[in-house]
Amino acid sequence: MSKPFSRRRFLHAALAASVVPNLPDAARGAAPASKRLVAGTRVLEVYGRPAKVFGLTGPDGRPGIRLAAGERFRVDLANESGARTLVHWHGQLPPWTQDGFPWPQTPPIVNGAVQAYDYAPIPGTYWMHSHHDMHEQSLMTAPLIVDSTAELREDRQEVLLMLHDFTFRTPEEVLAGLTGTSVAAAQAMAQKTEEAPADKGDASVPKPRIVGMAARPPGMAMPGMTMSGLGGTQMHMDLNDVHYDAFLANDRTLADPQSVRVERGGHIRLRVINGASSSQFWVDLGELVGRVVATDGHPVHAVAGNRFPLAMAQRLDILIDLPRAGAFPILARLEGDGRQTGIVLATQGGHIPRIADGAPAAPPVDQSLEARLIAEEPLSQRSADIVQTIVLGGGMKPYTWSMNGEYWPQVSPLMLTKGQRVEIDLVNRTMMAHPIHLHGHVFQVIAIDGRPIQGAVRDTVLVMPMGRVRIAFDADNPGRWPLHCHNLYHMVTGMMTELRYQGIIF
């Protein structure tokens, strides 16, 4: 990620490549060779201290995978990490057995093995991360970018900004601190994430149920901020479960930020990926004005501004037209805190300022952008076949998080039939925001706190404390699919359930 991607340099080749997959097999000849993706280890220097982390390296030696417009996702994942692992193609829509979730049918890949994947990807800004053993916190993550012909015709320089939260502790040590248990107990807790719910025919599987408002546990220990509740009352909003040692932008801190060379008056497509495990940010463009044109890889009508909220696992595509020569910091400011990270866009000869990694505290990430987004390609208008309420529950003491009062893997799968229109009301009865991610599908945000909108098409949506979000999607990808909070430690302690299609044979 250390070098900018030039649209001008790649334009003609990519446009040519985009038509190849439409040719008949005989005319096209043999299928192109698979791209090799290596899951391995590497050493980062963070504030002068070395740290061994994971990595996902593509065939060009850079993190992740980039596909030309129309190119199939043909990838051989080679596990050279020294441990079992499994990679999820976040936001993509593969068959369920290629999704990278540790079902019994798709177990983690052993060290030294190679797993092949082959499916038709959807274009946009996506990412990949391990769904095994909390490897995501140890940076088993990378971008996954799929070009579209329309974007290539814009002829914009592309800049990628991938955000992480970083700790010198192991994920098991972090989880032990949150739950007040031993590291061994925390490790056992994390391993339960890879246990699947009972088979469909198991009589012990309970029917879905809705629970009432969960009481707020006393003695919330984590730092937070106040927010307005019903009737104007003030409530305590919990933020930032984990105190991190650093926040990274393209693997670097503001002590040594990446400087991206751009043209004077240049036109930029900034792709921002929040790959953090437990942190949310404000993307701050400083003196620049940008236009959000895609969320989670899907186009929206442009929304202009210079500061945008970004929840865990979400992505933004922001178009920026530089007003002049100079250096332009692009910062990610941690919600509820003064800590920040970022990169610098710099023209030839631009003076790159020294930027402190501390600033005035940023407010909590909110739905100020979500409420303004309008999908360019919304779902078709039709009535719902299934309407389901899922209540998000839990709290900081004890540190457990649930969906409908159930904790993974003791959950009641929501059974679907192919072709149904599904609406889910996500109702948050906790004092913490939850970024909820659905595997294998994209959904449209159709209401916030009961107010109907024609919102963005997404794969991850933030549900505010004591708030409600309604999403809609078409059941068009049969399989077994997790729905979970993308705060890693909320998921590990229970906030996950399953959407399962009728007729799936295990």
Side-chain angles (χ1 to χ4, degrees), residues 191-504:
Q191 289 172 349
K192 290 183 68 65
T193 307
E194 301 190 15
E195 296 179 13
D199 287 348
K200 176 184 172 184
D202 192 326
S204 67
V205 174
K207 295 188 179 299
R209 65 183 187 273
I210 306 303
V211 299
M213 180 181 294
R216 181 168 178 262
M220 296 288 193
M222 293 293 123
M225 304 186 82
T226 57
M227 60 178 288
S228 295
L230 296 175
T233 58
Q234 295 295 304
M235 300 182 293
H236 182 88
M237 179 179 181
D238 293 295
L239 302 171
N240 303 323
D241 295 20
V242 182
H243 181 77
Y244 285 97
D245 295 302
F247 297 93
L248 307 180
N250 296 350
D251 288 345
R252 295 161 73 164
T253 69
L254 280 177
D256 179 31
Q258 180 190 13
S259 176
V260 179
R261 178 62 56 83
V262 294
E263 298 176 2
R264 179 189 179 107
H267 305 293
I268 309 296
R269 176 179 283 262
L270 176 66
R271 297 185 189 263
V272 191
I273 302 170
N274 186 355
S277 294
S278 185
S279 303
Q280 305 190 134
F281 302 94
W282 289 89
V283 179
D284 193 335
L285 306 183
E287 64 180 279
L288 299 176
V289 174
R291 291 172 291 138
V292 171
V293 294
T295 55
D296 293 358
H298 301 273
V300 294
H301 292 283
V303 176
N306 65 352
R307 194 180 67 163
F308 304 104
L310 190 63
M312 284 163 259
Q314 290 184 335
R315 290 88 64 208
L316 293 176
D317 283 28
I318 306 172
L319 302 186
I320 300 171
D321 298 319
L322 299 181
R324 54 176 173 78
F328 306 93
I330 306 294
L331 300 178
R333 302 177 59 199
L334 179 66
E335 67 171 348
D337 198 287
R339 305 173 77 191
Q340 58 188 11
T341 188
I343 62 175
V344 180
L345 309 181
T347 63
Q348 180 72 37
H351 172 69
I352 299 175
R354 186 169 185 83
I355 308 167
D357 62 3
V365 161
D366 60 22
Q367 290 173 320
S368 56
L369 176 61
E370 197 72 59
R372 299 173 62 194
L373 295 173
I374 301 173
E376 279 198 359
E377 301 170 5
L379 294 183
S380 62
Q381 293 290 328
R382 58 175 284 194
S383 59
D385 301 296
I386 294 179
V387 178
Q388 176 81 13
T389 298
I390 295 181
V391 176
L392 311 178
M396 306 296 283
K397 286 187 175 181
Y399 192 88
T400 55
W401 305 91
S402 65
M403 287 185 165
N404 282 351
E406 299 175 335
Y407 302 85
W408 184 273
Q410 282 73 47
V411 300
S412 310
L414 173 59
M415 302 303 298
L416 306 178
T417 300
K418 186 177 180 180
Q420 291 177 322
R421 169 64 58 84
V422 183
E423 294 185 4
I424 297 179
D425 256 332
L426 298 165
V427 181
N428 189 354
R429 291 295 183 246
T430 80
M431 293 311 302
M432 199 159 193
H434 299 286
I436 302 300
H437 171 52
L438 174 60
H439 287 228
H441 303 76
V442 295
F443 53 76
Q444 186 173 11
V445 180
I446 61 172
I448 297 176
D449 293 331
R451 181 175 67 85
I453 61 173
Q454 293 296 315
V457 172
R458 284 192 171 280
D459 56 63
T460 307
V461 68
L462 186 67
V463 188
M464 296 299 292
M466 308 307 292
R468 175 189 299 254
V469 173
R470 179 172 284 212
I471 61 174
F473 66 93
D474 291 322
D476 54 8
N477 193 5
R480 304 184 70 177
W481 301 107
L483 175 76
H484 65 88
C485 179
H486 221 284
N487 183 315
L488 178 63
Y489 302 101
H490 294 186
M491 181 189 76
V492 167
T493 53
M495 192 173 273
M496 179 160 60
T497 192
E498 178 188 357
L499 278 60
R500 185 188 303 175
Y501 281 69
Q502 302 281 357
I504 291 297

Side-chain angles (χ1 to χ4, degrees), residues 36-337:
R36 181 176 174 85
L37 179 70
V38 177
T41 60
R42 56 205 173 102
V43 175
L44 291 183
E45 185 176 285
V46 181
Y47 293 131
R49 180 178 170 186
K52 185 178 179 181
V53 298
F54 290 116
L56 290 162
T57 306
D60 60 357
R62 298 183 183 185
I65 292 288
R66 179 173 214 108
L67 299 176
E71 183 180 1
R72 283 188 69 85
F73 186 94
R74 288 192 178 96
V75 171
D76 289 337
L77 173 61
N79 183 7
E80 300 177 5
S81 68
R84 297 197 312 161
T85 197
L86 195 62
V87 176
H88 167 54
W89 321 110
H90 186 111
Q92 289 289 315
L93 310 177
W96 73 281
T97 52
Q98 296 193 50
D99 180 58
F101 184 83
W103 298 113
Q105 300 82 8
T106 54
I109 305 165
V110 299
N111 184 56
V114 177
Q115 178 70 50
Y117 299 84
D118 187 349
Y119 64 86
I122 55 175
T125 303
Y126 300 92
W127 65 301
M128 58 185 78
H129 61 84
S130 177
H131 236 298
H132 170 71
D133 206 19
M134 297 192 291
H135 285 177
E136 178 189 327
Q137 179 68 87
S138 299
L139 274 59
M140 186 74 88
T141 68
L144 170 55
I145 308 299
V146 183
D147 284 316
S148 73
T149 303
E151 290 176 5
L152 290 167
R153 288 191 176 122
E154 295 172 355
D155 194 18
R156 286 180 173 267
Q157 179 181 345
E158 183 163 306
V159 176
L160 182 66
L161 171 56
M162 190 161 189
L163 304 170
H164 289 109
D165 41 26
F166 172 83
T167 174
F168 288 103
R169 292 172 290 165
T170 67
E172 292 78 15
E173 288 171 330
V174 173
L175 183 59
L178 291 168
T179 56
T181 58
S182 67
V183 171
Q187 188 168 28
M189 187 182 307
Q191 289 172 349
K192 290 183 68 65
T193 307
E194 301 190 15
E195 296 179 13
D199 287 348
K200 176 184 172 184
D202 192 326
S204 67
V205 174
K207 295 188 179 299
R209 65 183 187 273
I210 306 303
V211 299
M213 180 181 294
R216 181 168 178 262
M220 296 288 193
M222 293 293 123
M225 304 186 82
T226 57
M227 60 178 288
S228 295
L230 296 175
T233 58
Q234 295 295 304
M235 300 182 293
H236 182 88
M237 179 179 181
D238 293 295
L239 302 171
N240 303 323
D241 295 20
V242 182
H243 181 77
Y244 285 97
D245 295 302
F247 297 93
L248 307 180
N250 296 350
D251 288 345
R252 295 161 73 164
T253 69
L254 280 177
D256 179 31
Q258 180 190 13
S259 176
V260 179
R261 178 62 56 83
V262 294
E263 298 176 2
R264 179 189 179 107
H267 305 293
I268 309 296
R269 176 179 283 262
L270 176 66
R271 297 185 189 263
V272 191
I273 302 170
N274 186 355
S277 294
S278 185
S279 303
Q280 305 190 134
F281 302 94
W282 289 89
V283 179
D284 193 335
L285 306 183
E287 64 180 279
L288 299 176
V289 174
R291 291 172 291 138
V292 171
V293 294
T295 55
D296 293 358
H298 301 273
V300 294
H301 292 283
V303 176
N306 65 352
R307 194 180 67 163
F308 304 104
L310 190 63
M312 284 163 259
Q314 290 184 335
R315 290 88 64 208
L316 293 176
D317 283 28
I318 306 172
L319 302 186
I320 300 171
D321 298 319
L322 299 181
R324 54 176 173 78
F328 306 93
I330 306 294
L331 300 178
R333 302 177 59 199
L334 179 66
E335 67 171 348
D337 198 287

Side-chain angles (χ1 to χ4, degrees), residues 3-28:
K3 298 178 181 178
F5 174 79
S6 170
R7 289 293 196 194
R8 292 167 175 81
R9 176 168 52 84
F10 193 67
L11 177 62
H12 296 297
L15 285 174
S18 70
V19 302
V20 172
N22 296 322
L23 296 174
D25 289 343
R28 188 169 61 234

